[in-house]
Amino acid sequence: MKIKEVENQTGITSHNIRFYEKEHLIFPQRNPMNGYREYTDADVKLLNRIKLLRILDISVSEIRECIQGRKNLSDVLRIHMDDLKTEEQRIRQNQLLCEQLAGLELDINEVPDNLLKQIFHNKEAYCRQLEQLKKQDRIKSLIFLSRQSICILGWLFVMILCLYFYFELFTAYMTLPFQLIALSMIIVVFVCMIRIIYYNEKA
């Protein structure tokens, strides 16, 4: 099998296939007649596995040691998982810092010196404080939404009662002008309730 066929089957470029050969990850045979590389199905299978590990950011040197039997793949992957968790934590910290700095809307020369000192002194501790503040904000938002929901449900209950009394009682004992006045008052109360809830939510 020629290198172009291997490239088509694996999606790995010819350049990278030769690189993996140079790094002693694969060992294609040479055709004695013309000196060209001859790849086997086993080479293709191995290249696909190498491709997977490279997608996972496993280093070439570690892949070579796994192929040579000097390292166990499971052990390599477990260590890599720990590295990914550390990287994930670093990215999360940077995300929190970016969110805070973007929220301040400052020019580069306006970033407070005391903020820089806090970050440089102990970035992890500072980011933990930011994370805690975000959790507190989420809890406050949930409490606020719960109160708003209870308020809305309470007002709806009152409105239903008002409409019930209007249609069941007022229509029987009140003249048309007073009925219209009562209905207008109910509508005004309902509109005021909606406006109060809306402006409280915006605040």
Side-chain angles (χ1 to χ4, degrees):
M1 192 183 307
K2 299 295 187 295
I3 193 168
K4 280 296 179 183
E5 297 177 70
V6 177
E7 183 177 7
N8 292 332
Q9 288 192 32
T10 62
I12 302 172
T13 64
S14 301
H15 173 78
N16 282 342
I17 293 172
R18 293 190 183 95
F19 171 75
Y20 293 148
E21 179 185 354
K22 181 181 176 182
E23 292 293 324
H24 305 294
L25 301 186
I26 58 173
F27 304 93
Q29 300 297 317
R30 293 273 183 174
N31 188 320
M33 301 295 294
N34 52 29
Y36 291 158
R37 296 175 178 84
E38 293 285 351
Y39 297 89
T40 64
D41 290 336
D43 292 325
V44 172
K45 290 180 179 179
L46 181 56
L47 281 168
N48 281 325
R49 284 151 180 78
I50 293 170
K51 180 180 178 179
L52 171 63
L53 294 177
R54 292 299 295 139
I55 289 173
L56 297 176
D57 285 333
I58 305 298
S59 68
V60 170
S61 60
E62 287 181 315
I63 295 174
R64 181 171 53 247
E65 290 181 318
C66 289
I67 292 172
Q68 294 174 351
R70 293 161 57 187
K71 280 189 177 181
N72 184 275
L73 178 59
S74 297
D75 294 335
V76 170
L77 292 174
R78 289 191 187 95
I79 294 172
H80 189 58
M81 285 171 58
D82 292 336
D83 293 338
L84 289 175
K85 288 177 182 177
T86 302
E87 180 66 11
E88 182 181 13
Q89 183 179 4
R90 186 190 68 80
I91 292 173
R92 177 57 182 162
Q93 290 175 356
N94 289 344
Q95 181 183 2
L96 288 170
L97 290 174
C98 287
E99 287 178 0
Q100 187 197 27
L101 293 173
L104 294 175
E105 296 184 355
L106 300 173
D107 185 71
I108 188 169
N109 295 317
E110 298 173 340
V111 179
D113 290 334
N114 61 335
L115 177 59
L116 295 176
K117 288 179 181 178
Q118 285 181 290
I119 296 172
F120 296 153
H121 177 67
N122 194 332
K123 178 184 173 183
E124 292 186 4
Y126 185 75
C127 289
R128 281 196 298 269
Q129 291 178 2
L130 291 179
E131 189 72 47
Q132 189 65 30
L133 290 174
K134 288 196 69 174
K135 288 181 180 178
Q136 292 175 1
D137 289 340
R138 285 195 292 266
I139 292 171
K140 288 179 181 178
S141 297
L142 288 174
I143 293 173
F144 174 77
L145 289 175
S146 299
R147 288 176 177 174
Q148 292 292 84
S149 300
I150 292 170
C151 180
I152 291 172
L153 291 174
W155 276 106
L156 287 175
F157 180 72
V158 171
M159 289 299 301
I160 291 171
L161 284 179
C162 290
L163 291 172
Y164 171 79
F165 284 116
Y166 174 78
F167 287 109
E168 294 294 327
L169 301 177
F170 292 171
T171 55
Y173 300 104
M174 297 176 65
T175 61
L176 183 60
F178 284 105
Q179 291 177 23
L180 294 174
I181 292 172
L183 182 60
S184 299
M185 291 178 63
I186 291 173
I187 294 173
V188 168
V189 170
F190 181 75
V191 172
C192 290
M193 177 266 292
I194 295 298
R195 287 175 63 86
I196 290 170
I197 293 172
Y198 173 75
Y199 285 113
N200 280 342
E201 187 173 351
K202 286 188 69 176

